[in-house]
């Protein structure tokens, strides 16, 4: 085996779980699984990064699946599965919460560990799954069968992706899942060869470890699931995240530094910094803040994205160019942020009419405006009628009125939340403690490699 | 013959030349022609509206062509033609000026009449002409042979077009020539039938009185010259002027009024009105004024047009939307006028870079901007690099600096004039006495029909 660079060895010393952590986790998992198995109702199975030995020290949520017979009706599974999960958790803790992803499941705090107890079907092959959760045991089996000798590489990749801000397949991150990291390390046979390959990735890149190669995918990065040819493991990875990884790979290969493995909290911008920055940029910042819809992020975040797009479209349709727009879900609050190039337009705007040669419409248009009651008077420009009318919204601020914002194509639950009220702020007044990091990143946009270099030890060894 | 409406009869009483005017003009023309003929060098011929009896009372420039043998070499024609014209004029006046259109000619003030003496070739047919002026005698012969019974109609049409601001085939007007008016009246057999037809004109309309019908023309209105199938008599008519005529025809047919035959000077805007109007509109007016190039309008005006287009393009490329832009040649001064929606933009702008997957260019871009010396830091947006850089011209006023204006694609002679110096003004300071009507029309744009209705007696009898 090739000797790793000192930087990577040093990182591994920090991210490899200790023997004590491993022992404790194994003990917790074992007693829960034993309790499940004892019921005879379902079979307990440890899955996820714990099961695969690929968790980063301290990042140790325990995922235990309860595998029920595949012939159990779906409603039965939901009722009996949840009941068993709750009962099992109750044996060890009083802290039990019901959660909901595709199915309901139980989250419990046992001996200081967050444990998910997830009912699923025990199916014969991954192609026979009835829902996404049924696939997880196959992933675990696949990775466990091949991961020997590559565990440190997976740890390095996960930490590298986390430090670069592209770890996580949630809608907010649009980055790499743990399973994707494992597949990539196995496919390229290590962390280093993966980075060398990724430095030359282009959109449309297809990685197919088991040579399934049938289905076409539209996503920029395609990694065909070894256990399910119809699934792209990298479906959540946005083009920008993919290219962020490409950039990080190049940057690390060219000039390795511990910063590439340092997970550093983005420092939030202060109110004064924000005020200074806006004065310097001379742009016009507007924020909409409101209570998050009481739903999981997987449902809320895509709606936030859609809402920002719709509102941006609305703002630009009124003649105000938008420099940047973004959304953030922070606990139970959401913020939509818009940076405009201008905040005020003239009192008039051009309203184009029909061509003069289109007699019926032309005469209608002329009749409507000839009196001047609706603003200017009709004139002819390149053969068409036009008229200057009063601009409906000469001040950008007015575009954020509740009835106008609610009239855009918002996501359903975001609309419901906004309809209950929202705050609009302008300029430095957009600043809020809980969104300070978001606002800072919004105004000081920088690629993952730049952010890595900005870390305290960025660029230097 | 159908009895004309009283409005038209009343107009004719004002625009038909008096017997005395006819007699005087005939006497002046006759003595000049006699003088030309007497030399034996060339044949004198009265052309133009005087020859065709289609001039409006008081609008009586006398055009006399000196027809030289077609086998005379071109240089000979220019030298001998000009000499003969000058000598002939000198017999009657001391006020003799040399002018230049396609050829040089002589303009003289004789007995109070402006007389043009234009040398040309006496060719056998219009298809054998050597330059545009040779065609004129054919036009005169063609019209004279057919105009009987339609003279009043031509007078009405000319006055109608003049009052509507679309009479004149010069580059500034882009409207109807006198010859075009005559052809249209002959083709449609009178003023009224022409208006009825024109009310339904569409771009691409082709009128071909002699059924030549071969060549295709691109202009919106095509009227094939009866004496020259390769020529569109309406080539100078812009789409907007054509549609202005269409609109006037509809308006007159729907509600005739003397205003349609009233040539009324557009009242200029006052400085105070301009100031008030700009405060109300909240737009940003910029003017460039400079000495007109010492050339005929046929050369200067198209260059003004091109220059305004180029400068508009320059302004908009820098992020400032232009609401309206226009040029004016007023004696020996030119004005270019621009109305902008905004006058100030943020200190930053987005500079888009290459896709991150284009490794060579991406690394070059990253290297150039990663230090932050050129503004912001590289970020990734939909897979491409971008960076915020300082905006070169955040204030619209700065776009009008001499070196920047001279760097746009101006017309050649306009550039030469601008290079010698120009004034830039902003807001109400754009106002200048001689351009007061131009600026007023620019800001209070209105179609010909609207302007007709705005006249003192507009709409009412």
């Amino acid at each position: 085996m090739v000797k790793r660079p000192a930087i990577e060895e040093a990182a591994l010393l920090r991210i490899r779980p200790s023997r004590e952590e491993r022992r404790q986790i194994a003990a917790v998992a074992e007693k829960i699984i034993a309790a499940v198995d004892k019921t005879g109702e379902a079979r307990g199975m440890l899955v996820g990064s714990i099961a695969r030995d690929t968790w980063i020290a301290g990042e140790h949520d325990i995922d235990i699946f309860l595998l029920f017979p595949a012939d159990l009706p779906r409603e039965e599974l939901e009722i009996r599965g949840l009941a068993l999960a709750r009962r099992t958790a109750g044996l060890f803790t009083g802290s039990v919460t019901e959660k909901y992803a595709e199915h309901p499941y139980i989250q419990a705090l046992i001996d200081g560990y967050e444990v998910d107890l997830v009912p699923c079907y025990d199916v014969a092959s991954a192609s026979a799954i009835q829902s996404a959760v049924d696939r997880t045991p196959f992933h675990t089996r696949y990775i466990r069968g091949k991961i020997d000798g590559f565990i440190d590489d997976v740890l390095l990749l996960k930490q590298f992706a986390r430090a670069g801000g592209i770890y996580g397949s949630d809608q907010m991150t649009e980055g790499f899942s743990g399973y994707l990291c494992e597949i990539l390390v196995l496919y390229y046979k290590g962390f280093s060869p993966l980075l060398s390959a990724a430095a030359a990735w282009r959109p449309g890149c297809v990685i197919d470890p088991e040579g399934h190669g049938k289905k076409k995918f539209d996503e920029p990065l395609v990694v065909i699931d070894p256990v399910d040819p119809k699934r792209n493991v990298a479906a959540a990875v946005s083009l920008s995240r993919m290219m962020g990884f490409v950039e990080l790979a190049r940057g690390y290969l060219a000039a390795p530094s511990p910063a590439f493995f340092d997970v550093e909290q983005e420092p939030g911008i202060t109110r004064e910094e924000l005020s200074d920055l806006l004065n310097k940029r001379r742009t016009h910042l507007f924020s909409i803040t409101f209570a998050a819809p009481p739903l999981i992020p997987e449902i809320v975040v895509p709606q936030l994205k859609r809402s920002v797009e719709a509102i941006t479209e609305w703002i630009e349709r009124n003649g105000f160019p938008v420099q940047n727009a973004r959304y953030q879900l922070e606990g139970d609050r959401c913020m939509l942020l818009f940076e405009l190039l201008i905040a005020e337009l003239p009192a008039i705007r051009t309203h184009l009419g029909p061509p003069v040669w289109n007699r019926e419409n032309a005469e209608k248009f002329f009749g409507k405006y000839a009196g001047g009651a609706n603003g200017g008077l009709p004139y002819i420009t390149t053969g068409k009628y036009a008229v200057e009318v009063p601009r409906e919204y000469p001040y950008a601020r007015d575009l954020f009125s509740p009835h106008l914002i609610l009239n855009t194509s918002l996501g359903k639950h975001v609309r419901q939340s906004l309809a209950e009220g929202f705050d609009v702020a302008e300029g430095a007044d957009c600043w809020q403690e809980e969104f300070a990091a978001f606002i800072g990143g919004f105004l000081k946009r920088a690629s993952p490699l730049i952010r890595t270099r900005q870390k305290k030890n960025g660029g230097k060894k």
Side-chain angles (χ1 to χ4, degrees), chain A:
Chain A
M1 243 181 130
V2 185
K3 198 178 170 302
R4 284 187 202 284
I7 288 169
E8 295 174 20
E9 289 296 355
L12 283 168
L13 285 181
R14 286 184 297 116
I15 62 178
R16 250 190 233 119
S18 66
R19 206 166 303 175
E20 178 58 17
E21 185 175 334
R22 287 173 195 278
R23 201 194 49 75
Q24 282 184 11
I25 289 179
V28 173
E30 271 161 30
K31 72 178 178 186
I32 298 169
I33 289 168
V36 172
D37 291 348
K38 206 169 135 194
T39 66
E41 277 198 78
R43 196 155 56 82
M45 178 179 178
L46 181 65
V47 298
S49 60
I50 304 282
R52 278 114 84 165
D53 274 330
T54 56
W55 83 94
I56 302 271
E59 301 281 315
H60 42 37
D61 295 352
I62 302 175
D63 295 320
I64 290 170
F65 275 39
L66 317 184
L67 281 65
F68 283 82
D71 56 3
L72 199 68
R74 174 83 176 235
E75 312 89 82
E76 285 280 290
L77 175 74
E78 296 211 353
I79 296 163
R80 288 175 51 187
L82 207 59
L84 176 59
R86 188 186 297 277
R87 232 182 313 125
T88 307
L91 295 174
F92 306 104
T93 181
S95 165
V96 176
T97 323
E98 187 176 328
K99 292 266 181 175
Y100 195 94
E102 197 176 349
H103 296 285
Y105 65 97
I106 289 296
Q107 197 165 76
L109 195 67
I110 299 174
D111 300 347
Y113 293 94
E114 196 178 288
V115 181
D116 285 350
L117 289 153
V118 184
C120 74
Y121 283 118
D122 189 5
V123 293
S125 81
S127 55
I129 62 165
Q130 298 183 43
S131 83
V133 287
D134 303 342
R135 201 187 284 112
T136 305
F138 290 91
H139 289 167
T140 294
R141 283 179 209 119
Y142 180 85
I143 297 295
R144 284 185 64 99
K146 300 186 176 266
I147 202 68
D148 267 7
F150 290 112
I151 288 176
D152 280 351
D153 294 87
V154 171
L155 293 180
L156 284 171
L157 174 57
K158 283 187 175 183
Q159 185 69 4
F160 182 84
R162 278 175 73 210
I166 55 172
Y167 185 69
S169 59
D170 57 286
Q171 303 265 4
M172 208 74 188
T173 312
E174 298 181 328
F176 288 28
S177 66
Y179 181 55
L180 176 59
C181 289
E182 292 159 348
I183 297 287
L184 288 173
V185 161
L186 291 177
Y187 180 80
Y188 287 107
K189 301 195 166 52
F191 175 65
S192 270
L194 160 63
L195 292 196
S196 300
W201 275 355
R202 304 174 69 89
C205 164
V206 177
I207 290 158
D208 187 3
E210 296 296 328
H212 292 305
K214 287 221 189 69
K215 200 181 153 188
K216 295 272 169 264
F217 296 90
D218 289 335
E219 290 92 2
L221 179 62
V222 178
V223 178
I224 303 193
D225 194 341
V227 309
D228 184 351
K230 294 186 302 297
R231 182 169 173 266
N232 175 12
V233 179
V237 179
S238 70
L239 180 57
S240 289
R241 291 301 180 210
M242 177 187 179
M243 288 302 137
F245 184 72
V246 167
E247 183 202 42
L248 285 168
R250 289 179 193 159
Y252 181 73
L253 293 172
S257 110
F260 287 90
F261 300 101
D262 261 14
V263 179
E264 206 175 71
Q265 198 71 28
E266 296 272 342
I269 196 169
T270 67
R271 202 184 197 290
E272 286 64 41
E273 281 169 348
L274 175 60
S275 176
D276 290 350
L277 195 55
L278 291 176
N279 284 338
K280 220 175 112 203
R281 292 168 74 80
R282 287 192 287 104
T283 52
H284 307 272
L285 195 66
F286 291 90
S287 67
I288 295 178
T289 40
F290 59 103
L295 295 158
I296 54 167
E298 282 72 14
I299 291 174
V300 174
V301 173
Q303 291 192 18
L304 293 177
K305 186 177 183 180
R306 185 175 157 197
S307 301
V308 158
E309 285 165 359
I311 297 171
T312 298
E313 204 270 324
W314 159 247
I315 296 169
E316 297 207 311
R317 185 149 33 94
N318 279 282
F320 297 90
V322 174
Q323 172 75 359
N324 191 11
R326 188 74 189 153
Y327 49 90
Q328 181 74 1
L329 172 63
E330 201 70 53
D332 61 353
R333 301 286 297 164
C334 299
M335 180 178 275
L336 312 182
L337 200 54
F338 305 88
E339 189 183 27
L340 276 58
L341 290 188
I342 44 176
E344 185 184 340
L345 279 169
I348 48 100
R349 69 170 179 87
T350 304
H351 171 56
L352 280 174
V356 177
W357 61 86
N358 184 332
R359 187 166 185 171
E360 193 182 326
N361 291 334
E363 291 185 340
K364 224 178 273 172
F365 183 92
F366 188 90
K368 178 167 179 190
Y369 291 103
N374 297 301
L377 294 163
Y379 61 91
I380 299 173
T381 178
T382 55
K384 291 179 181 149
Y385 273 130
V387 67
E388 285 177 352
V389 293
R391 186 177 289 273
E392 289 86 343
Y393 307 106
Y395 302 98
R397 183 64 177 75
D398 297 338
L399 298 172
F400 292 88
S401 303
H403 69 289
L404 298 175
I405 290 295
L406 291 171
N407 202 33
T408 61
S409 302
L410 306 166
K412 179 182 165 190
H413 302 102
V414 164
R415 160 169 293 114
Q416 288 169 356
S417 276
L418 285 170
E420 283 168 27
F422 59 86
D423 295 323
V424 176
E426 199 175 336
D429 290 338
C430 293
W431 191 87
Q432 292 184 35
E433 179 77 57
E434 61 194 311
F435 291 104
F438 165 59
I439 298 172
F442 179 91
L443 285 173
K444 297 187 273 186
R445 280 189 280 187
S447 71
L449 180 54
I450 289 288
R451 286 203 301 272
T452 299
R453 290 211 189 159
Q454 284 175 337
K455 289 174 188 172
K456 284 188 297 295
N457 53 355
K460 290 152 233 139
K461 177 89 188 273

